[in-house]
Structures are given as C-alpha cells and as structure tokens.
Amino acid sequence: MADQVPAPASGTPAPLRLHALAYSLGVTAAVTAAARLGLADAVGEEPVRPAELAAAVGADEEALVQLLRALVCHGVFREAEEGGYAHTELSRLLRTDAPASRKAMALLAGAPFAWRIWSRLDDAVRTGESVFPGLYGKPLFAHLHEDEPELGALFDRAMAKSGETSAVAVAAALDLAGTDTVADIGGGHGTLLRALLERHPALNGVLFDLEQVVAHADPVLREGGELAGRCRLVSGDCHIEVPVTADVYLLKGVVHMWNDATAVAALRTLVREARPGARVVLVEQVLDATDNPEIATVMNLLMLVSQGGRERTAREFRTLLERAGLEFRSITATGSVVRLIEAVVPGAR
Ligand SMILES: C[S@@+](CC[C@H](N)C(=O)[O-])C[C@H]1O[C@@H](n2cnc3c(N)ncnc32)[C@H](O)[C@@H]1O
C-alpha cells in the first residue's frame, strides 16, 4: 500500500522518546517548509528525482534531501523503489488543489507569529491568559486584520479548506427538519453554511463574521446564483451585537477561542434577540469524548496561548451553556473530530 504511512516504531527507550518529543518542533518546521517550498505541488503521479525536484522548487539538492528524509520519516512523501520521491496520502494533502487541502493550515501552523506565541506557553500557563496582546499590542484577530492582512487571509483560507471534511460530516449529522433559517456565527468564508445549503434545498442561511472575513466569503454564497439567493451575509462583532434572527445558531470552532466569562457574555449577546425555542449548536471537539486526543489537547493549548481560550469537556460545555441562560439538550457525534453541543433558548411552549 504505497500511499500509507509507516507505523511508529515501538519499544523506543524513554529518553529517546522524550528527546523526540522535545524536538518535535522540527517536524512542524519541516511540514511548513514543505508547504512554503511547494514540494507537494511539484510532485505529480510519477516519482521525482531529487535534482529535478530541487530545480522545480528552487532548492539546494542536498539540503532538500535532508528535508525529505525528515518528512518521509513521518509519512509525508515516500522514497519510490525505482528511485526519487513520490506522494503518500499525507503529502497529497499539502497540494494546493487537494480536496480539504491542509497546505494553508501547514503554512499557518509554522508561521512566524506561531513560533513567537508557542515560545511563551509557560507564561500563558502561569497567568491563564493569552500571550498575544503582550507580544503584538492587541488581540489576535485585531492584529490579523489591522496589521498583517496577508496573515489574516491565510488564517481564513486555512479554516475554510481544513473545515471542508468536517463541514460535510456536520451537515449530515445536524437535524434541520422544520428549520427555515440557519445562522453560522463566526462562520468564516462559509464552508459549513455552503454544505448545509447544498444539502437542504429549501434552507436559508446567514453568514455572520467580521467585516474583513465576510468580504471574502465563498463566491458561491455572495455572487448571485441559487445558493447566494438563499444566503444573507452579515458582518459585525459578536461581542457587541448579532443582528440576526434564525431558527438555528451554529458556532463552529468559535467558543473554544474564549475563556468562560467571554464565552458566556458572547452567547448572551447572541441570543438577546433570539426567539424562545431557537437552537444554539456549538460545533467543537469535546475533550473527554474525543478519538483524537493528540489534536484536541494541542488545540487546547493553542487556544490558551493565542486567545486565552480552551477546549472543554462535556460537563464544562453544559455548565457554560446554562450560565449563558440556555437549556442544554444534547451532544451528538458527527463522525468527524467535532461534536454538536446543542441547547435551546428557553421560554418556548
Ligand atoms: C477558528 S475560526 C472558525 C471559522 C469557522 N467557523 C470554521 O469552523 O472554520 C473563528 C472565526 O470567528 C471569527 N471571529 C473572531 N472574532 C469574532 C468576533 N468578535 N465577531 C465575529 N466573528 C469573529 C473569525 O473571523 C473566524 O472566522
């Protein structure tokens, strides 16, 4: 099975395992370097010789082989029997044109700001707060949109592309029988909303996000056509006001950006105008019900260090929703890394 990745070596002594853990930042660097160099885009269906690959991406051949050795060790590319390097299932995801491509995510993961904030994780653990404002003078999203718009655009692309797989799973798992309008709050470029509108031909949607993000929403949702006809784009700051009326409010990967106090305040703002019985569905990883703790626990730290946020357990989600004045209903698996955590606005008959 040429495309599959090697199983991790077992029986490695503890000191070597810790050594490898401590230096795993080198793996992030290698994956990000591969994305920046465009290695995956330069490898087609046939294996490519190092000299040819080096010429294609503008690299030193020997240094490129050093990089490829590290990547191959983790299943990103493989050495072909006939010589040269070929794709694996992981390296294909670094291609720009791959469905659910992780190239933008790889560029984001190892971007300069990421190295800066991760290097201060111990400070975030001491204070319980994000290190971002101390380093950049303002919170993450203000910095992305005011000071580094290219990085902001990369962030939005990374979210949109990497969310494609889970959007389809969420659309399949979310029961929208009898629903007229769904609002995706902090919906980014509209990956999830598009999946929902495509799945339910009579559904209407509202995409709500910051102005700079909504302006670059998926063209299918904003430039005429059938889906755009059923979609309203609303920009604003969900900490101030959410002027949206809907039967279902979705927040995917949003509440984990915030600490409990901020999340409760934002949820209260969200449902201020909502009708009794409206559903609020958080779409998040659930720390004590995840099949992917290696992703959930690292995201938990990334949310802390970048925004003072956190992933949560099932009980913590329930408490959070109840503190926001909502009636907790259920947690539903989607078949992807995220679950649907559902509550309703009280007061319905
Ligand atoms: C982690 S991303 C998730 C995007 C999308 N829901 C997804 O799952 O791919 C968080 C989103 O919240 C938006 N956001 C952050 N602060 C916001 C605010 N104050 N008001 C509205 N949207 C905000 C960001 O622009 C971004 O699109």
Side-chain angles (χ1 to χ4, degrees), residues 141 155 159 186-188 208-210 213 236-239 252-254 257:
F141 284 99
F155 181 96
M159 295 302 135
F208 181 87
D209 207 297
L210 299 168
V213 181
D237 181 341
C238 66
H239 297 302
K252 177 170 175 280
V254 172
M257 300 189 297

Side-chain angles (χ1 to χ4, degrees), residues 3-337:
D3 242 23
Q4 288 186 344
V5 302
S10 59
T12 308
L16 287 186
R17 279 169 34 212
L18 189 62
H19 191 109
L21 272 182
Y23 275 101
S24 57
L25 85 173
V27 181
T28 300
V31 172
T32 302
R36 282 197 194 143
L37 288 163
L39 281 187
D41 292 317
V43 176
E45 287 309 309
E46 298 300 321
V48 186
R49 302 262 166 202
E52 203 184 320
L53 196 51
V57 302
D60 175 86
E61 184 181 336
E62 279 187 31
L64 181 60
V65 171
Q66 286 178 271
L67 173 63
L68 281 161
R69 267 188 209 289
L71 292 167
V72 167
C73 177
H74 292 279
V76 184
F77 300 105
R78 64 183 172 87
E79 285 191 69
E81 279 157 26
E82 59 270 46
Y85 292 89
H87 270 305
T88 62
E89 58 183 345
L90 296 188
S91 63
R92 283 181 204 282
L93 288 168
L94 285 178
R95 287 186 63 89
T96 311
D97 60 3
S101 169
R102 289 295 200 272
K103 182 177 181 181
M105 188 59 85
L107 294 170
L108 186 68
F113 88 93
W115 292 105
R116 271 188 93 185
I117 60 173
W118 277 121
S119 74
R120 300 275 305 280
L121 177 61
D122 53 336
D123 287 336
V125 172
R126 282 190 196 95
T127 63
E129 290 177 8
S130 166
V131 300
F132 205 97
L135 289 169
Y136 290 91
K138 54 183 77 165
L140 173 68
F141 284 99
H143 174 78
L144 290 182
H145 296 301
E146 292 163 17
D147 303 339
E148 278 197 83
E150 278 182 20
L151 184 58
L154 174 66
F155 181 96
D156 294 337
R157 258 197 342 271
M159 295 302 135
K161 287 305 285 180
S162 69
E164 280 178 9
T165 318
S166 58
V168 173
V170 169
L174 183 67
D175 181 2
L176 291 179
T179 302
D180 178 72
T181 306
V182 169
D184 193 1
I185 310 300
H189 284 176
T191 303
L192 175 57
L193 195 59
R194 176 175 176 170
L196 290 168
L197 294 175
E198 283 176 343
R199 192 180 175 90
H200 301 280
L203 186 69
N204 295 298
V206 182
L207 179 66
F208 181 87
D209 207 297
L210 299 168
E211 189 181 351
Q212 302 87 333
V213 181
V214 169
H216 297 101
D218 185 335
V220 166
L221 299 179
R222 69 181 154 91
E223 286 178 359
E226 201 275 319
L227 285 196
R230 290 191 280 131
C231 182
R232 198 158 68 86
L233 306 180
V234 181
S235 63
D237 181 341
C238 66
H239 297 302
I240 298 172
E241 188 193 12
V242 184
V244 173
T245 305
D247 303 307
V248 179
Y249 295 86
L250 292 172
L251 295 95
K252 177 170 175 280
V254 172
V255 163
H256 75 162
M257 300 189 297
W258 301 322
N259 65 25
D260 284 0
T262 307
V264 166
L267 287 170
R268 282 183 182 277
T269 303
L270 173 70
V271 297
R272 213 161 42 205
E273 307 289 328
R275 65 163 177 79
R279 296 158 65 196
V280 175
V281 182
L282 313 182
V283 185
E284 298 280 0
Q285 301 192 60
V286 176
L287 273 177
D288 54 346
T290 178
D291 297 328
N292 306 93
E294 71 288 358
I295 300 176
T297 53
V298 168
M299 286 302 118
N300 198 14
L301 293 177
L302 180 58
M303 291 309 121
L304 168 66
V305 77
S306 62
Q307 294 168 91
R310 49 178 308 198
E311 306 293 342
R312 292 177 172 86
T313 63
R315 176 176 288 275
E316 287 166 344
F317 274 120
R318 182 179 185 139
T319 306
L320 188 80
L321 289 162
E322 288 174 351
R323 279 183 59 196
L326 296 161
E327 284 173 10
F328 174 81
R329 282 289 192 269
S330 59
I331 296 186
T332 310
T334 66
S336 72
V337 293

